[in-house]
Amino acid sequence: MASREETITRKGDSKGNHYLSVCESFLAKIDSRDPFWVQTLRQDALARFRELGFPTTREEQWKYTNVRAIQEANFEPAPREALPKIKKEEVEKLSTCPLRWHRLVFVNGVYSKEFSRLSDLSGAFHVGTIQDAIRTKPKMLEQYLAQCARYDRNGFAALNTALIQDGTFIYMAEGKEFETPIELVFLTDSERGNVMSQPRNLIVFGRSSRATLIESYFSFSDDPYFTNVVTEVVLGDGAVCDYVRLQREGRKAFHISTTQVEVGRNSVFSSVAVDLGGKLVRNNLTVELTEEGAQCDLNGLYLTSDDQHVDNHTLIEHPKPNGTSRQLYKGILDGASTTVFGGKIWVHQDAQKTDAHQTNKNLLLSEHATVDTKPQLEIFADDVKCTHGAAVGQIDEDSVFYLKSRGLPEAKARQLVSYGFANEVVERIKVPSIRAELNQIVLERCERQGSGKAVAS
Amino acid sequence: MKEARAFIDREYKYGFVTDVEADTAPRGLNEDIIRFISKKKNEPKFMLERRLNAYRRWLQMEEPRWQNVHYPPIDYQDIIYYSAPKPAKDGPKNLEDVDQEILKTYEKLGIPLDEQKRLAGVAVDAVFDSVSVATTFKETLAKAGVIFCPFSEAVEEHQDLVRKYLGSVVPYADNFYATLNSAVFSDGSFCYIPKGVRCPLELSTYFRINTADTGQFERTLIIADEGSYVSYLEGCTAPIRDKNQLHAAVVELIALKGAQIKYSTIQNWYAGDKNGKGGIYNFVTKRGKCVGDHSKISWTQVETGSAITWKYPSVILQGDHTIGEFYSVALTNHYQQADTGTKMIHIGKNTRSTVISKGIAAAHGRNTYRGLIRALPNAAHAKNYTQCDSLLLGDRCSANTFPYIEVKNKTASVEHEASTSKISEDQLFYCKQRGISAENAVSMIVNGFCKEVFKNLPMEFAVEATKLLGVSLEGSVG
């Protein structure tokens, strides 16, 4: 407290001067043919980023996650012209999804036409990059872009917005259904050093439309890099969205994501987010149930080891009556890893008949792992049913004993108990190929964790 | 639920003012005021030093802003920091010396100061504005070796104990209000239970704010030596005034090896009127430390009064096999605000803690539970169970739950559960069809909701708490 002035000056430094200059040189180079509103948006976001800077641990929402390292590492945008040499087969191998699915691949944040597959689509659908949409569909884009992902309070979202260029734009017209899932793959190959990517995704569901989306992150290198992604999902009335998010960044990667979802009347948003990689990971997921009868079902699983730090923050807003929300976040921690869960359910005054549940459970496998969890309820309406729960513990010895008494060796029994713990989340993934793949990964992880060996991703 | 709404607005019963001549310090705060207080109390030099250190530290501190309660800025220079009923030269030696007006006040409040009418064997230390006016049953206690006296007396007579333990749980620079208290505290209760003694009486302190514009800053220090047991009760009231008054107390509990302390509070400070005018700001620091192995500290609180209640009675579980408990009922009606909860810091092995919190919000009340459970790396097999339930009566109130859980030991197990709901139409209907009026039905259901906490109160207090809850809720239902 004595050091108020000190704090201010420190904050001055922490504004990420390096990142400011990155933004400035980006804005100086950018195509001046971009519509005026895009240019204004970027300028506006930059101004906001200049004020906000990166968050510090003095801020309540960032109490347990220190992003100083990102600031000090001075990451640079990857050169757009010279993409790293990656073989197509290697990219194909990353995903177990069938080849006929739509796939957009980004390498170091830049769209790669070579690796992506976009079959012909009827006019009712649009799947493409933001960069293209800025030129070809500016009117449509203007209506939605940066409308729900607010950058006025979040420095990372502001930085991303100031650098809007790469990413995905998906639009579905009224009543349409995407039969196969759409994959968004973000690959980083940071061979050339400290790269950062700032993807921006906008997905708009027309009234009563339906689709499954898979957003995944991979890496080909063990060097540090920084991904700062913002995804906006807008669901019209009666739309249904299934969302899978797989984060398998490299072990030295910094990954910050902001996902903002608006759910319309009687529409449903379900998501499963799995975090396996990354050195420092922070996911902000905000869902606003904007109209009556909106629903969301958010699931999360994080398996951490070594010095990983994974932080999941969710916020669910219930401004209107009859909304339903469910959350289940589970984590298994090994090594000296730390995980954070911050969940908030906000029930506004008019949101009568809200039904909201939130659960966070953590399994500690090692002496040195740390869990910080903060499930929160803020309720301003009286006719509601809201509960939340959090638990931290170790493997249930009774369960282990039960399995051992049936002839399973100790290690196997422990593996199965952890696996069963994680499986509750995995089985909620509706895409069979991904579910099977993740089941395999989780099983292997549990085996290694059980044996106490170092886990190398 | 229209019927239920008819249940409000019984006036605050304890809102009268006692007309006694008071010895008050001038308004405001500076080093001279602190010297004045210290001199009034005949304090030894080390106490004055402590106060001045705290004051200098306080000047550099900033008022906290993170809490979920809202109030206009407090002008710390507009508060009277010392007010004592006259004559109070040495403090009264026995009941005859106490001003009749004050005795009448306590009679009106229903506090048994008069030992002749001994009620249920409770020893009372009555604190009127800034000073302790009477302590009952001193002799009975002395026989058992228990020291129970006003704080200022302890400073004179039991200097070693005070020196050793004061500030050992809540250091003088702990937080803004505790530091302010350390600088200006006027009186309070001091209690020492010797080795192996089970305190023969329930100890009790009754706090009353009388003079306008005063702040009450009392200090309570309870030391339970090895293997001892004490149950301590605290009650509070204040007159009805339009202006908000500040109450910033500090309570420190120390439990040595195998000792048990049970601390119960019934807080019924003036809560302000229906429109939220007036009332006490109750910003209190309460903390206990289980120093020795196998010791136990249990907090029970019923918070029905105060315009703003903002406190977190906490337990530091330092010894192995120690136990911390927190049972709370917090009620906010009209424009009352409460941000309360607990902190359980598990340091020793096999430490256990239980937290049961019941929040009731009515009318425009804002009720927040905020709690921290921390298991440090050495706290092997630490266990915590937390349950926070909120009941909402009315559509303009709010209930919030902010638990923080930090676990650094793999064998620790922490569970947190919370729920928020309202009284169901079915429950009400069931009662009404059996001829119970809506008002009584609500009162009954609310009492049932709080039962888990009330059962931890000593009997007389449990009865009082039940009544108090009924009164505080009147007219709030609908």
Side-chain angles (χ1 to χ4, degrees):
Chain A
M1 319 249 170
S3 58
R4 183 163 198 182
E5 261 169 44
E6 212 178 288
T7 323
I8 291 166
T9 43
R10 216 177 53 212
K11 195 132 192 188
D13 295 334
S14 79
K15 282 189 178 165
N17 289 335
H18 164 75
Y19 295 96
L20 277 177
S21 57
V22 166
C23 291
E24 275 154 11
S25 64
F26 167 79
L27 289 174
K29 271 190 287 182
I30 201 72
D31 196 338
S32 57
R33 281 170 307 171
D34 282 351
F36 182 66
W37 67 267
V38 179
Q39 299 190 25
T40 322
L41 177 67
R42 288 177 184 140
Q43 289 291 357
D44 202 36
L46 173 61
R48 201 63 199 124
F49 177 62
R50 189 171 281 132
E51 280 168 46
L52 288 167
F54 286 139
T56 64
T57 48
R58 295 177 72 92
E59 284 164 53
E60 181 63 20
Q61 295 298 315
W62 294 82
K63 188 173 152 85
Y64 299 114
T65 299
N66 192 340
V67 295
R68 248 197 136 146
I70 298 180
Q71 212 170 289
E72 283 161 4
N74 292 349
F75 293 106
E76 294 280 352
R80 306 185 69 80
E81 295 73 29
L83 285 176
K85 304 250 176 310
I86 306 171
K87 287 193 187 111
K88 193 166 181 181
E89 305 85 78
E90 280 184 71
V91 179
E92 309 257 281
K93 255 195 286 174
L94 287 174
S95 168
T96 52
C97 296
L99 286 168
R100 62 194 163 80
W101 293 4
H102 295 280
R103 179 179 294 168
L104 288 100
V105 179
F106 295 80
V107 178
N108 291 349
V110 182
Y111 179 65
S112 155
K113 206 169 175 188
E114 189 194 349
F115 302 143
S116 306
R117 272 191 318 271
L118 287 175
S119 346
D120 288 336
L121 291 163
S122 75
F125 300 105
H126 174 86
V127 178
T129 62
I130 290 264
Q131 205 174 7
D132 282 344
I134 290 176
R135 308 259 162 68
T136 58
K137 299 202 181 309
K139 284 265 148 56
M140 200 191 247
L141 204 61
E142 186 179 3
Q143 211 181 329
Y144 299 103
L145 190 66
Q147 295 303 308
C148 66
R150 276 157 265 171
Y151 54 83
D152 54 340
R153 267 185 253 156
N154 176 342
F156 286 106
L159 175 64
N160 179 289
T161 309
L163 297 171
I164 279 187
Q165 184 177 28
D166 299 301
T168 323
F169 175 54
I170 298 174
Y171 179 86
M172 264 157 290
E174 190 177 325
K176 296 294 169 190
E177 182 171 350
F178 237 112
E179 281 167 21
T180 57
I182 307 165
E183 269 190 282
L184 313 178
V185 178
F186 297 88
L187 247 179
T188 305
D189 187 354
S190 61
E191 240 171 85
R192 267 159 247 221
N194 278 357
V195 300
M196 70 170 180
S197 54
Q198 306 274 341
R200 177 78 175 210
N201 305 313
L202 172 63
I203 299 141
V204 181
F205 284 73
R207 181 190 282 264
S208 304
S209 60
R210 213 183 160 101
T212 300
L213 292 152
I214 302 157
E215 188 181 320
S216 46
Y217 297 83
F218 295 99
S219 157
F220 279 141
S221 82
D222 283 331
D223 294 322
Y225 62 90
F226 170 37
T227 308
N228 177 29
V229 56
V230 174
T231 302
E232 294 174 275
V233 182
V234 183
L235 270 74
D237 296 350
V240 177
C241 171
D242 278 314
Y243 211 93
V244 181
R245 192 171 196 286
L246 293 179
Q247 183 272 106
R248 301 176 68 182
E249 301 269 26
R251 272 312 173 91
K252 285 193 182 144
F254 295 89
H255 180 94
I256 308 279
S257 77
T258 306
T259 308
Q260 186 93 23
V261 186
E262 270 181 20
V263 187
R265 183 180 300 263
N266 297 328
S267 57
V268 184
F269 177 78
S270 329
S271 79
V272 181
V274 181
D275 287 292
L276 300 167
K279 177 184 168 69
L280 185 145
V281 178
R282 163 70 179 240
N283 300 312
N284 296 306
L285 171 57
T286 306
V287 180
E288 192 174 346
L289 304 174
T290 54
E291 292 293 337
E292 274 195 51
Q295 278 183 45
C296 71
D297 182 5
L298 313 180
N299 302 285
L301 176 69
Y302 38 94
L303 306 180
T304 60
S305 61
D306 305 324
D307 62 343
Q308 281 185 286
H309 177 92
V310 174
D311 178 349
N312 276 291
H313 264 68
T314 66
L315 167 64
I316 300 185
E317 298 238 28
H318 284 267
K320 292 282 163 66
N322 295 309
T324 307
S325 67
R326 294 281 179 275
Q327 284 179 78
L328 174 68
Y329 272 76
K330 289 185 131 185
I332 302 180
L333 289 81
D334 202 357
S337 62
T338 50
T339 68
V340 182
F341 175 74
K344 186 181 259 184
I345 299 174
W346 189 308
V347 181
H348 294 243
Q349 202 161 39
D350 295 329
Q352 300 295 1
K353 309 274 178 205
T354 288
D355 182 354
H357 297 282
Q358 177 188 65
T359 309
N360 173 237
K361 289 188 177 170
N362 300 282
L363 202 56
L364 287 174
L365 299 180
S366 129
E367 308 272 323
H368 307 292
T370 300
V371 173
D372 295 313
T373 169
K374 203 174 71 172
Q376 310 195 334
L377 293 174
E378 283 206 51
I379 297 168
F380 294 87
D382 66 334
D383 191 3
V384 299
K385 256 201 307 200
C386 295
T387 63
H388 70 188
V392 182
Q394 54 181 336
I395 290 182
D396 177 24
E397 292 302 324
D398 289 348
S399 308
V400 173
F401 176 77
Y402 177 90
L403 292 172
K404 274 161 74 184
S405 73
R406 268 143 189 83
L408 283 167
E410 166 107 19
K412 192 81 188 162
R414 288 187 179 275
Q415 178 196 353
L416 276 182
V417 174
S418 317
Y419 169 73
F421 178 84
N423 188 253
E424 193 186 350
V425 175
V426 176
E427 70 181 5
R428 296 184 185 202
I429 298 175
K430 289 170 193 156
V431 184
S433 59
I434 295 190
R435 188 173 56 228
E437 186 192 354
L438 264 176
N439 258 328
Q440 199 52 42
I441 293 171
V442 171
L443 200 60
E444 278 167 26
R445 271 276 187 116
C446 292
E447 193 177 353
R448 272 179 289 173
Q449 283 177 329
S451 66
K453 276 178 219 149
V455 183
S457 172
Chain B
M1 298 223 333
K2 222 177 271 164
E3 310 91 321
R5 196 158 276 169
F7 188 71
I8 261 192
D9 298 338
R10 205 192 295 174
E11 288 289 312
Y12 185 66
K13 202 169 110 190
Y14 309 108
F16 55 86
V17 181
T18 310
D19 194 12
V20 287
E21 229 185 312
D23 191 5
T24 43
R27 249 167 234 276
L29 183 57
N30 51 49
E31 294 203 0
D32 288 340
I33 294 280
I34 289 165
R35 290 203 169 90
F36 170 82
I37 296 172
S38 188
K39 202 171 169 207
K40 277 268 166 206
K41 301 268 157 206
N42 274 328
E43 282 177 355
K45 212 171 165 209
F46 83 94
M47 285 299 291
L48 179 64
E49 291 294 312
R50 249 189 79 95
R51 285 173 185 276
L52 290 173
N53 277 342
Y55 175 67
R56 284 165 199 152
R57 183 61 197 261
W58 180 76
L59 286 177
Q60 297 169 358
M61 287 173 121
E62 262 181 76
E63 241 182 293
R65 286 268 166 263
W66 47 263
Q67 71 279 21
N68 193 20
V69 296
H70 303 282
Y71 55 90
I74 297 171
D75 181 357
Y76 293 94
Q77 293 305 335
D78 196 31
I79 294 174
I80 297 170
Y81 286 87
Y82 181 83
S83 170
K86 266 182 189 167
K89 273 176 200 141
D90 299 337
K93 286 284 174 285
N94 55 44
L95 278 178
E96 281 86 73
D97 291 352
V98 179
D99 193 318
Q100 285 304 312
E101 284 296 315
I102 294 172
L103 283 183
K104 272 184 206 154
T105 304
Y106 279 96
E107 215 163 277
K108 270 197 226 172
L109 294 169
I111 312 304
L113 282 192
D114 191 343
E115 284 183 57
Q116 307 306 319
K117 291 184 202 157
R118 54 175 63 210
L119 177 132
V122 179
V124 180
D125 181 22
V127 178
F128 200 82
D129 280 343
S130 297
V131 295
S132 171
V133 291
T135 307
T136 60
F137 286 104
K138 260 187 165 168
E139 277 153 35
T140 324
L141 293 172
K143 234 179 271 170
V146 174
I147 303 170
F148 181 45
C149 64
F151 202 89
S152 41
E153 200 178 310
V155 171
E156 287 177 47
E157 290 171 24
H158 309 286
Q159 240 188 71
D160 293 350
L161 286 172
V162 172
R163 232 187 162 131
K164 184 164 174 198
Y165 291 109
L166 182 68
S168 70
V169 184
V170 181
Y172 75 87
D174 189 77
N175 68 65
F176 187 80
Y177 295 102
T179 305
L180 177 61
N181 174 291
S182 300
V184 302
F185 74 87
S186 37
D187 214 335
S189 306
F190 173 85
C191 175
Y192 172 81
I193 321 292
K195 266 185 203 176
V197 170
R198 190 181 168 91
C199 186
L201 295 165
E202 304 262 3
L203 302 185
S204 161
T205 302
Y206 209 90
F207 296 107
R208 170 134 184 111
I209 298 180
N210 192 52
T211 312
D213 298 336
T214 48
Q216 180 148 330
F217 303 92
E218 83 272 356
R219 187 103 193 179
T220 305
L221 177 60
I222 300 175
I223 304 148
D225 213 326
E226 290 178 18
S228 64
Y229 169 88
V230 61
S231 164
Y232 190 91
L233 319 167
E234 173 198 281
C236 344
T237 57
I240 294 178
R241 293 192 194 282
D242 284 350
K243 234 170 133 183
N244 298 102
Q245 281 176 286
L246 179 65
H247 173 244
V250 173
V251 177
E252 292 177 274
L253 311 183
I254 293 131
L256 300 180
K257 197 175 164 189
Q260 282 190 34
I261 302 177
K262 183 178 164 75
Y263 194 102
S264 317
T265 306
I266 294 209
Q267 184 266 105
N268 187 27
W269 294 117
Y270 177 52
D273 66 6
K274 256 195 300 192
N275 303 314
K277 201 169 162 63
I280 303 283
Y281 292 158
N282 190 28
F283 300 166
V284 178
T285 307
K286 290 184 167 175
R287 197 175 301 155
K289 197 174 191 177
C290 289
V291 180
D293 297 351
H294 297 281
S295 57
K296 174 179 173 181
I297 289 178
S298 164
W299 296 99
T300 307
Q301 60 171 21
V302 178
E303 305 282 328
T304 58
S306 295
I308 302 175
T309 299
W310 179 19
K311 62 173 200 178
Y312 312 100
S314 313
V315 185
I316 300 168
L317 299 156
Q318 187 182 303
D320 295 345
H321 307 280
T322 51
I323 299 174
E325 290 175 342
F326 175 75
Y327 302 98
S328 161
V329 168
L331 179 137
T332 52
N333 198 353
H334 304 312
Y335 283 87
Q336 278 176 272
Q337 306 175 52
D339 188 332
T340 184
T342 186
K343 285 191 242 178
M344 293 289 174
I345 314 293
H346 292 259
I347 300 174
K349 293 182 183 60
N350 296 313
T351 48
R352 276 181 290 154
S353 62
T354 308
V355 177
I356 309 280
S357 161
K358 306 277 181 179
I360 303 157
H364 291 84
R366 295 167 70 102
N367 209 324
T368 304
Y369 168 84
R370 189 189 301 273
L372 168 70
I373 308 297
R374 179 180 284 157
L376 293 170
N378 287 330
H381 304 288
K383 258 193 170 39
N384 162 270
Y385 174 72
T386 304
Q387 188 191 335
C388 328
D389 296 325
S390 307
L391 194 63
L392 295 159
L393 307 169
D395 54 6
R396 286 289 174 271
C397 51
S398 69
N400 310 308
T401 318
F402 304 133
Y404 292 71
I405 299 169
E406 302 175 6
V407 181
K408 293 193 195 302
N409 185 294
K410 79 161 184 169
T411 56
S413 120
V414 179
E415 280 176 68
H416 172 94
E417 275 177 46
S419 73
T420 303
S421 56
K422 66 167 197 168
I423 293 178
S424 80
E425 296 292 337
D426 293 352
Q427 281 173 313
L428 264 187
F429 177 73
Y430 180 88
C431 292
K432 274 158 68 185
Q433 57 147 293
R434 269 152 186 78
I436 299 167
S437 72
E439 202 168 314
N440 285 340
V442 169
S443 170
M444 206 162 91
I445 293 164
V446 170
N447 267 306
F449 176 75
C450 302
K451 195 154 192 175
E452 252 179 296
V453 174
F454 286 172
K455 73 172 189 213
N456 290 294
L457 285 170
M459 211 259 291
E460 299 81 14
F461 263 48
V463 175
E464 193 186 329
T466 310
K467 274 194 209 143
L468 198 57
L469 207 62
V471 173
S472 309
L473 267 180
E474 267 178 30
S476 66
V477 182

